[in-house]
Amino acid sequence: MSITSLNTDRAAVVSECRALYEEVWHTPSPTLELARSALMKPAPLSLTIEERTRLTYQRARALAHAYNLTLKDVVEMTPAFWKLHMDMLTAMDGGAINLVSVQYNLFVGTVAPFAATHPELASIIQQALRVDISAQFMLTELGHGLDARNLETTATLLPNGGFELHTPSPNAAKCMPPNTPRNGLPTIAVVIARLIVEGEDRGVRPFLVPMSDGIKMCTGVTSKVFPPRPGANPIDHALTYFNRVQLPSSALLGSLENQHNERDNFLATIHRMGAGTLFLAGGCIPLIKMAVYNASKFSFRRHILGHDGQPMPVINFRTQHLPILHAIARAHVLQAFLIYAGREYCNQTDSRVRHIFATTFKAVTIHHFQTSLKTMNEGCGWQGYYDRNQILGADLEFRAVATAEGDVRVLAIRLASELLIGRYQVPPPKDPNGALARHEAGLFAEARELMKRFGDKHRSEAFNRTILPLSLPLVQAIGYRMAIEAAVDVGIDPKIRALYEAGIFKEDSGWFAEKGGLSREEQRAMEAQAADALLPELEQLVEATGVRPYCTAPMTSEALWNDYVKELETFEGDAVWDLKARL
């Protein structure tokens, strides 16, 4: 199924989205065999940081080979491209999917349009698709986070037609993209730099720049690698500096000529960032499924003595099973939402409208992911403290997604601000009388009323103090409404939808009590009723996630726990204390 050719007829759209949802949820993943291989076994604690880093890259290559995407898949963002980002192998190594996503989306997606005029790119693109090389995208600078239009790195045209790439100050260091020989792969990157021609600044352009040969860095390129992030599978994230690096004329991807509109040129240069905002956030969905599986299996195995003196599984407690049920509902609804948002994103030509779908999906997904994993991990007691139990590690590893391809808070500020001042509008709700649609409309009405008090000046200090803190809740409200609409379209079980909605009521309980006609007691009753309806199906719903082969947490089974204990460093001896001598 090609997303770009989807029929715009409403009934056909619903049918196609439903078919894709069922395919993603129920079709076996191409990584199923890989998940059972030795490559994906938990890394021994004895591995060095270099060995663990190379393992992450090896897994990334194996993931790429399992999907075997084509250039068309990446450029047109076909369903195969979507499914890679939602693959449950993410539960075993989030670093691997991160590497592949950046390589495909930002590197291949950026250079592909230039392949017709740069014949040498065909081979590089194929090597990048196979992960035979590490292919990176270097935009952000240390002193210019989301203010990337003002980056400092320069590429100066030389008399021979080549370029000199240079980092003029420490603040101009390119930050985060992995870039060391530690990964064992030759590395190349698209570097976004300021084109200087005869002293004239002609705005930012993409340049293709070799970084290392897999053994040592290229001449003039310096990499300062960051230490591993706590809990995350190691990737060689780094600061990269250029000291008058000489590049051939072919390194420039695009034209030397002045651009009529610098802003439009910049947005065209980074056009794949929006897709990364959307699809990389989709990687949180399999992690929610993983956490559901691990937390539920632990809760079924963990027993306490009941009032009758008989062992009772802790899953019976409302505080134990309720977060798991909510997470199941969220996984289903987010899967539907991604299909809806992804379809609209791929079909839209207006970058502003694309921004709506990418930002709302990311805002909702990141929030659901962070709150669900935290709550479920807390239910696992002391066993949840260790990264081998996957939940905590996944939480730490994917926290970076909240800032990757745009900090979700800043993206929300931009979107909410532009909507409030009327630059464009979100697609209207399909049911304006629905509870979540009324919530969205109510929050925006309140924000617009606040704006009137300070004359609609969106760059004022009053706007900064009053409206900016409301931006993320406003964008999340749009997303909640879109998510439940998508869930209806794909035919998600009404019992699951009911629990999802009850969870949203709790997110803004005060508004629903004050303006939505639902007292706190009614909200609690709705949640209890929805949870009671799903509870008898809990085990079936957990198994239906299909994530079992990807879960390796020792707390989920006796066999895995016994194997884990055998791996632990063991101390024994024959020492004897003389207690009297110590008195």
Side-chain angles (χ1 to χ4, degrees), residues 103 120 122-134 186:
Q103 191 136 319
E120 72 280 5
S123 174
I124 293 173
I125 288 171
Q126 289 305 312
Q127 292 178 70
L129 288 172
R130 295 193 303 267
V131 192
D132 291 337
I133 59 174
S134 173

Side-chain angles (χ1 to χ4, degrees), residues 138-159:
M138 297 188 175
L139 169 66
T140 305
E141 294 180 354
L142 183 61
H144 304 280
L146 292 182
D147 183 30
R149 285 178 62 189
N150 295 314
L151 58 82
E152 299 178 47
T153 302
T154 57
T156 303
L157 180 66
L158 300 174

Side-chain angles (χ1 to χ4, degrees), residues 304-335:
I304 65 169
L305 290 180
H307 294 301
D308 58 0
Q310 298 300 312
M312 179 181 72
V314 297
I315 194 69
N316 290 356
F317 290 103
R318 184 62 114 193
T319 50
Q320 199 75 8
H321 63 243
L322 188 57
I324 296 172
L325 289 171
H326 273 297
I328 290 171
R330 288 174 169 184
H332 278 274
V333 173
L334 287 175
Q335 196 95 66

Side-chain angles (χ1 to χ4, degrees), residues 377-378 380-389 392-393 396 555:
N377 196 55
E378 288 173 349
C380 296
W382 65 266
Q383 296 199 44
Y385 300 162
Y386 298 94
D387 59 4
R388 180 65 74 87
N389 285 323
L392 181 60
L396 293 170
M555 63 183 177

Side-chain angles (χ1 to χ4, degrees), residues 331-402:
H332 278 274
V333 173
L334 287 175
Q335 196 95 66
F337 189 15
L338 178 57
I339 290 167
Y340 168 68
R343 182 192 186 281
E344 293 300 319
Y345 183 93
C346 293
N347 280 348
Q348 290 291 338
T349 57
D350 189 331
S351 62
R352 300 173 305 173
V353 180
R354 283 187 163 195
H355 176 57
I356 292 172
F357 292 103
T359 301
T360 53
F361 176 78
K362 181 170 184 175
V364 169
T365 302
I366 294 298
H367 179 66
H368 284 341
F369 166 77
Q370 291 177 340
T371 54
S372 283
L373 263 69
K374 180 178 184 295
T375 308
M376 285 189 286
N377 196 55
E378 288 173 349
C380 296
W382 65 266
Q383 296 199 44
Y385 300 162
Y386 298 94
D387 59 4
R388 180 65 74 87
N389 285 323
Q390 294 184 281
I391 301 176
L392 181 60
D395 184 13
L396 293 170
E397 186 148 49
F398 260 67
R399 282 185 184 181
V401 174

Side-chain angles (χ1 to χ4, degrees), residues 12-32:
V13 167
V14 170
S15 175
E16 289 160 344
C17 286
R18 182 171 297 188
L20 185 54
Y21 168 82
E22 293 294 331
E23 179 183 349
V24 170
W25 196 269
H26 298 297
T27 303
S29 166
T31 63
L32 193 58

